[in-house]
Short mmCIF file of all heavy atoms in Angstrom, two decimals:
data_model
loop_
_atom_site.label_atom_id
_atom_site.label_comp_id
_atom_site.label_asym_id
_atom_site.label_seq_id
_atom_site.Cartn_x
_atom_site.Cartn_y
_atom_site.Cartn_z
N VAL V 95 105.34 105.29 100.67
CA VAL V 95 103.95 105.02 101.02
C VAL V 95 103.79 105.23 102.50
O VAL V 95 104.59 104.73 103.31
CB VAL V 95 103.59 103.54 100.65
CG1 VAL V 95 102.21 103.19 101.12
CG2 VAL V 95 103.76 103.30 99.16
N HIS V 108 93.10 111.67 101.56
CA HIS V 108 93.11 110.97 100.27
C HIS V 108 91.93 111.37 99.42
O HIS V 108 92.09 111.60 98.20
CB HIS V 108 93.12 109.46 100.49
CG HIS V 108 92.89 108.69 99.23
ND1 HIS V 108 93.89 108.56 98.28
CD2 HIS V 108 91.81 108.02 98.77
CE1 HIS V 108 93.39 107.85 97.27
NE2 HIS V 108 92.15 107.51 97.53
N GLY V 116 101.01 106.99 98.05
CA GLY V 116 100.19 105.88 98.53
C GLY V 116 100.01 105.94 100.02
O GLY V 116 100.84 106.51 100.74
N ILE V 117 98.89 105.40 100.48
CA ILE V 117 98.57 105.37 101.89
C ILE V 117 98.06 103.99 102.24
O ILE V 117 97.20 103.45 101.51
CB ILE V 117 97.50 106.42 102.28
CG1 ILE V 117 97.90 107.83 101.86
CG2 ILE V 117 97.17 106.34 103.77
CD1 ILE V 117 96.79 108.86 102.01
N VAL V 118 98.55 103.43 103.32
CA VAL V 118 98.03 102.17 103.89
C VAL V 118 97.51 102.53 105.27
O VAL V 118 98.27 102.97 106.14
CB VAL V 118 99.10 101.08 103.98
CG1 VAL V 118 98.52 99.84 104.67
CG2 VAL V 118 99.64 100.75 102.63
N VAL V 119 96.20 102.41 105.46
CA VAL V 119 95.61 102.66 106.78
C VAL V 119 95.25 101.32 107.41
O VAL V 119 94.72 100.43 106.76
CB VAL V 119 94.36 103.59 106.70
CG1 VAL V 119 94.76 105.00 106.28
CG2 VAL V 119 93.30 103.05 105.78
N ALA V 131 102.38 91.05 107.88
CA ALA V 131 102.14 90.11 106.78
C ALA V 131 100.96 90.57 105.94
O ALA V 131 101.03 90.46 104.69
CB ALA V 131 101.92 88.70 107.33
N ARG V 132 99.92 91.10 106.57
CA ARG V 132 98.76 91.58 105.81
C ARG V 132 99.16 92.82 105.00
O ARG V 132 98.74 92.97 103.85
CB ARG V 132 97.57 91.86 106.72
CG ARG V 132 96.93 90.57 107.25
CD ARG V 132 95.57 90.80 107.88
NE ARG V 132 95.52 91.83 108.88
CZ ARG V 132 95.89 91.66 110.17
NH1 ARG V 132 96.32 90.50 110.59
NH2 ARG V 132 95.79 92.67 111.02
N ILE V 133 99.94 93.71 105.60
CA ILE V 133 100.41 94.90 104.87
C ILE V 133 101.26 94.45 103.67
O ILE V 133 101.09 94.93 102.55
CB ILE V 133 101.21 95.84 105.79
CG1 ILE V 133 100.28 96.43 106.87
CG2 ILE V 133 101.91 96.94 104.99
CD1 ILE V 133 101.02 97.13 107.97
N ASP V 134 102.17 93.52 103.90
CA ASP V 134 103.03 93.00 102.84
C ASP V 134 102.22 92.40 101.71
O ASP V 134 102.48 92.67 100.51
CB ASP V 134 103.97 91.94 103.44
CG ASP V 134 104.88 91.35 102.41
OD1 ASP V 134 105.73 92.10 101.83
OD2 ASP V 134 104.82 90.12 102.16
N ALA V 135 101.18 91.65 102.04
CA ALA V 135 100.31 91.05 101.02
C ALA V 135 99.59 92.11 100.19
O ALA V 135 99.48 91.99 98.96
CB ALA V 135 99.31 90.10 101.66
N GLU V 136 99.12 93.14 100.84
CA GLU V 136 98.44 94.23 100.13
C GLU V 136 99.40 95.01 99.23
O GLU V 136 99.04 95.37 98.10
CB GLU V 136 97.73 95.17 101.09
CG GLU V 136 96.47 94.57 101.66
CD GLU V 136 95.51 94.10 100.58
OE1 GLU V 136 95.23 94.84 99.62
OE2 GLU V 136 95.05 92.95 100.68
N LEU V 137 100.61 95.23 99.70
CA LEU V 137 101.58 95.93 98.86
C LEU V 137 101.98 95.09 97.66
O LEU V 137 102.18 95.59 96.57
CB LEU V 137 102.81 96.29 99.70
CG LEU V 137 102.58 97.36 100.79
CD1 LEU V 137 103.77 97.46 101.70
CD2 LEU V 137 102.26 98.71 100.16
N ALA V 138 102.05 93.77 97.85
CA ALA V 138 102.36 92.88 96.71
C ALA V 138 101.21 92.88 95.71
O ALA V 138 101.43 92.79 94.50
CB ALA V 138 102.63 91.46 97.24
N ALA V 139 99.97 92.98 96.20
CA ALA V 139 98.80 92.96 95.32
C ALA V 139 98.62 94.28 94.58
O ALA V 139 97.95 94.35 93.58
CB ALA V 139 97.53 92.64 96.13
N GLN V 140 99.21 95.34 95.11
CA GLN V 140 99.09 96.69 94.54
C GLN V 140 100.49 97.25 94.35
O GLN V 140 100.92 98.12 95.10
CB GLN V 140 98.28 97.57 95.50
CG GLN V 140 97.94 98.92 95.00
CD GLN V 140 96.60 98.92 94.30
OE1 GLN V 140 95.79 98.02 94.46
NE2 GLN V 140 96.35 99.93 93.52
N PRO V 141 101.28 96.75 93.36
CA PRO V 141 102.67 97.15 93.25
C PRO V 141 102.89 98.65 92.99
O PRO V 141 103.90 99.19 93.40
CB PRO V 141 103.19 96.30 92.09
CG PRO V 141 102.02 95.70 91.42
CD PRO V 141 100.88 95.78 92.36
N ASP V 142 101.94 99.32 92.32
CA ASP V 142 102.06 100.76 92.13
C ASP V 142 101.03 101.44 93.04
O ASP V 142 99.87 101.51 92.74
CB ASP V 142 101.81 101.17 90.68
CG ASP V 142 101.98 102.65 90.46
OD1 ASP V 142 102.44 103.38 91.40
OD2 ASP V 142 101.67 103.11 89.35
N MET V 143 101.50 101.94 94.18
CA MET V 143 100.63 102.54 95.15
C MET V 143 100.37 104.03 94.91
O MET V 143 99.61 104.66 95.62
CB MET V 143 101.23 102.38 96.55
CG MET V 143 101.08 100.98 97.15
SD MET V 143 99.36 100.58 97.56
CE MET V 143 99.02 101.79 98.86
N THR V 144 100.96 104.59 93.88
CA THR V 144 100.81 106.02 93.61
C THR V 144 99.33 106.40 93.53
O THR V 144 98.58 105.82 92.75
CB THR V 144 101.50 106.39 92.30
OG1 THR V 144 102.87 105.98 92.37
CG2 THR V 144 101.43 107.90 92.05
N GLY V 145 98.93 107.32 94.39
CA GLY V 145 97.55 107.79 94.42
C GLY V 145 96.54 106.83 94.98
O GLY V 145 95.34 107.08 94.93
N GLN V 146 97.00 105.73 95.58
CA GLN V 146 96.10 104.70 96.10
C GLN V 146 96.02 104.76 97.61
O GLN V 146 96.96 105.13 98.30
CB GLN V 146 96.59 103.31 95.70
CG GLN V 146 96.73 103.13 94.21
CD GLN V 146 95.39 103.22 93.48
OE1 GLN V 146 94.42 102.62 93.94
NE2 GLN V 146 95.35 103.98 92.43
N LEU V 147 94.88 104.36 98.14
CA LEU V 147 94.71 104.15 99.58
C LEU V 147 94.20 102.73 99.76
O LEU V 147 93.23 102.33 99.12
CB LEU V 147 93.70 105.16 100.17
CG LEU V 147 93.57 105.03 101.69
CD1 LEU V 147 93.40 106.38 102.32
CD2 LEU V 147 92.40 104.15 102.07
N VAL V 148 94.88 101.99 100.63
CA VAL V 148 94.48 100.63 100.92
C VAL V 148 94.24 100.49 102.40
O VAL V 148 95.02 100.97 103.22
CB VAL V 148 95.57 99.64 100.47
CG1 VAL V 148 95.22 98.21 100.87
CG2 VAL V 148 95.80 99.72 98.96
N ARG V 149 93.15 99.85 102.77
CA ARG V 149 92.83 99.58 104.18
C ARG V 149 93.25 98.14 104.50
O ARG V 149 92.96 97.23 103.74
CB ARG V 149 91.34 99.69 104.43
CG ARG V 149 90.78 101.06 104.25
CD ARG V 149 89.31 101.08 104.57
NE ARG V 149 88.71 102.33 104.19
CZ ARG V 149 87.62 102.82 104.75
NH1 ARG V 149 87.01 102.16 105.70
NH2 ARG V 149 87.14 103.98 104.34
N VAL V 150 93.89 98.01 105.63
CA VAL V 150 94.27 96.68 106.13
C VAL V 150 93.64 96.55 107.49
O VAL V 150 94.08 97.18 108.47
CB VAL V 150 95.80 96.50 106.21
CG1 VAL V 150 96.18 95.15 106.79
CG2 VAL V 150 96.41 96.69 104.83
N ASN V 151 92.60 95.75 107.59
CA ASN V 151 91.82 95.62 108.82
C ASN V 151 92.28 94.43 109.66
O ASN V 151 92.73 93.42 109.13
CB ASN V 151 90.33 95.48 108.51
CG ASN V 151 89.74 96.78 107.97
OD1 ASN V 151 90.30 97.86 108.20
ND2 ASN V 151 88.65 96.65 107.26
N TYR V 158 91.49 83.25 108.21
CA TYR V 158 90.81 84.19 107.35
C TYR V 158 91.32 84.05 105.94
O TYR V 158 92.37 83.46 105.68
CB TYR V 158 91.01 85.63 107.83
CG TYR V 158 92.45 86.02 107.88
CD1 TYR V 158 93.04 86.67 106.80
CD2 TYR V 158 93.25 85.75 109.00
CE1 TYR V 158 94.38 87.01 106.83
CE2 TYR V 158 94.58 86.09 109.01
CZ TYR V 158 95.12 86.72 107.91
OH TYR V 158 96.45 87.04 107.95
N VAL V 159 90.60 84.63 105.02
CA VAL V 159 91.05 84.73 103.66
C VAL V 159 91.03 86.19 103.28
O VAL V 159 90.22 86.96 103.75
CB VAL V 159 90.17 83.89 102.68
CG1 VAL V 159 90.32 82.43 102.95
CG2 VAL V 159 88.71 84.31 102.76
N HIS V 160 91.96 86.59 102.43
CA HIS V 160 92.01 87.99 101.99
C HIS V 160 91.07 88.22 100.84
O HIS V 160 90.86 87.38 99.99
CB HIS V 160 93.44 88.36 101.53
CG HIS V 160 94.38 88.53 102.65
ND1 HIS V 160 94.36 89.61 103.48
CD2 HIS V 160 95.40 87.78 103.10
CE1 HIS V 160 95.32 89.48 104.39
NE2 HIS V 160 95.95 88.38 104.16
N ALA V 161 90.49 89.37 100.82
CA ALA V 161 89.65 89.79 99.71
C ALA V 161 89.86 91.29 99.53
O ALA V 161 90.38 91.96 100.39
CB ALA V 161 88.18 89.49 99.99
N ARG V 162 89.44 91.82 98.37
CA ARG V 162 89.57 93.26 98.11
C ARG V 162 88.21 93.76 97.74
O ARG V 162 87.42 93.09 97.06
CB ARG V 162 90.56 93.52 97.02
CG ARG V 162 91.97 93.10 97.35
CD ARG V 162 92.92 93.46 96.21
NE ARG V 162 93.06 94.91 96.10
CZ ARG V 162 93.82 95.68 96.88
NH1 ARG V 162 94.48 95.15 97.85
NH2 ARG V 162 93.89 96.97 96.67
N LYS V 163 87.92 95.00 98.14
CA LYS V 163 86.65 95.61 97.81
C LYS V 163 86.87 97.10 97.73
O LYS V 163 87.63 97.68 98.52
CB LYS V 163 85.64 95.28 98.92
CG LYS V 163 84.30 95.91 98.75
CD LYS V 163 83.37 95.56 99.91
CE LYS V 163 82.05 96.24 99.70
NZ LYS V 163 81.10 95.94 100.77
N SER V 164 86.18 97.77 96.81
CA SER V 164 86.24 99.23 96.74
C SER V 164 85.00 99.79 97.40
O SER V 164 83.89 99.30 97.17
CB SER V 164 86.30 99.71 95.29
OG SER V 164 87.53 99.36 94.73
N ASP V 165 85.20 100.80 98.26
CA ASP V 165 84.03 101.40 98.90
C ASP V 165 83.43 102.49 98.01
O ASP V 165 83.87 102.69 96.88
CB ASP V 165 84.39 101.92 100.30
CG ASP V 165 85.36 103.09 100.31
OD1 ASP V 165 85.58 103.68 99.22
OD2 ASP V 165 85.85 103.44 101.37
N ARG V 166 82.47 103.21 98.50
CA ARG V 166 81.76 104.20 97.66
C ARG V 166 82.63 105.34 97.23
O ARG V 166 82.32 106.03 96.30
CB ARG V 166 80.53 104.70 98.41
CG ARG V 166 80.84 105.53 99.63
CD ARG V 166 79.55 106.06 100.27
NE ARG V 166 79.84 106.85 101.41
CZ ARG V 166 79.88 106.42 102.66
NH1 ARG V 166 79.60 105.16 102.91
NH2 ARG V 166 80.18 107.21 103.65
N GLY V 168 85.69 104.82 96.13
CA GLY V 168 86.71 104.23 95.27
C GLY V 168 87.96 103.81 96.01
O GLY V 168 88.98 103.54 95.41
N VAL V 169 87.90 103.75 97.35
CA VAL V 169 89.04 103.35 98.14
C VAL V 169 89.14 101.82 98.13
O VAL V 169 88.18 101.14 98.48
CB VAL V 169 88.93 103.86 99.60
CG1 VAL V 169 90.08 103.36 100.44
CG2 VAL V 169 88.87 105.38 99.61
N SER V 170 90.28 101.33 97.72
CA SER V 170 90.50 99.88 97.70
C SER V 170 90.67 99.43 99.17
O SER V 170 91.48 99.96 99.90
CB SER V 170 91.76 99.53 96.91
OG SER V 170 92.01 98.18 96.96
N LYS V 171 89.88 98.43 99.57
CA LYS V 171 89.88 98.01 100.96
C LYS V 171 90.26 96.56 101.08
O LYS V 171 89.66 95.72 100.43
CB LYS V 171 88.48 98.24 101.53
CG LYS V 171 88.36 97.89 102.99
CD LYS V 171 86.98 98.23 103.48
CE LYS V 171 86.84 97.93 104.95
NZ LYS V 171 85.51 98.22 105.45
N ALA V 172 91.29 96.28 101.86
CA ALA V 172 91.63 94.88 102.15
C ALA V 172 90.73 94.45 103.27
O ALA V 172 90.67 95.07 104.32
CB ALA V 172 93.08 94.79 102.59
N ILE V 173 89.97 93.42 103.05
CA ILE V 173 89.11 92.92 104.09
C ILE V 173 89.51 91.49 104.44
O ILE V 173 90.08 90.76 103.63
CB ILE V 173 87.60 92.96 103.69
CG1 ILE V 173 87.37 92.12 102.44
CG2 ILE V 173 87.12 94.39 103.52
CD1 ILE V 173 85.90 91.97 102.08
N ALA V 174 89.24 91.12 105.65
CA ALA V 174 89.50 89.74 106.08
C ALA V 174 88.17 89.09 106.34
O ALA V 174 87.32 89.61 107.02
CB ALA V 174 90.33 89.76 107.35
N GLN V 175 87.99 87.96 105.74
CA GLN V 175 86.74 87.21 105.93
C GLN V 175 87.05 85.89 106.59
O GLN V 175 87.89 85.14 106.11
CB GLN V 175 86.07 86.94 104.59
CG GLN V 175 85.55 88.16 103.89
CD GLN V 175 84.90 87.82 102.59
OE1 GLN V 175 85.56 87.32 101.71
NE2 GLN V 175 83.61 88.05 102.48
N TYR V 181 81.22 88.31 106.95
CA TYR V 181 81.89 89.50 106.47
C TYR V 181 82.33 90.34 107.67
O TYR V 181 81.56 90.60 108.57
CB TYR V 181 80.96 90.28 105.57
CG TYR V 181 81.52 91.56 105.05
CD1 TYR V 181 82.50 91.60 104.06
CD2 TYR V 181 81.10 92.76 105.58
CE1 TYR V 181 82.99 92.78 103.62
CE2 TYR V 181 81.60 93.97 105.14
CZ TYR V 181 82.56 93.98 104.15
OH TYR V 181 83.05 95.13 103.70
N ASN V 182 83.57 90.80 107.65
CA ASN V 182 84.09 91.70 108.68
C ASN V 182 83.55 93.09 108.35
O ASN V 182 84.03 93.73 107.42
CB ASN V 182 85.60 91.68 108.65
CG ASN V 182 86.21 92.58 109.65
OD1 ASN V 182 85.51 93.30 110.34
ND2 ASN V 182 87.52 92.61 109.72
#
Side-chain angles (χ1 to χ4, degrees):
V95 175
H108 170 74
I117 303 171
V118 176
V119 293
R132 288 194 308 278
I133 294 168
D134 180 63
E136 285 306 312
L137 292 170
Q140 186 91 18
D142 182 8
M143 284 290 297
T144 305
Q146 302 296 313
L147 182 142
V148 175
R149 295 182 190 205
V150 177
N151 290 338
Y158 59 93
V159 292
H160 285 287
R162 297 183 67 80
K163 177 181 178 180
S164 292
D165 67 12
R166 67 178 181 266
V169 176
S170 177
K171 182 176 181 181
I173 59 172
Q175 291 180 297
Y181 177 75
N182 179 358

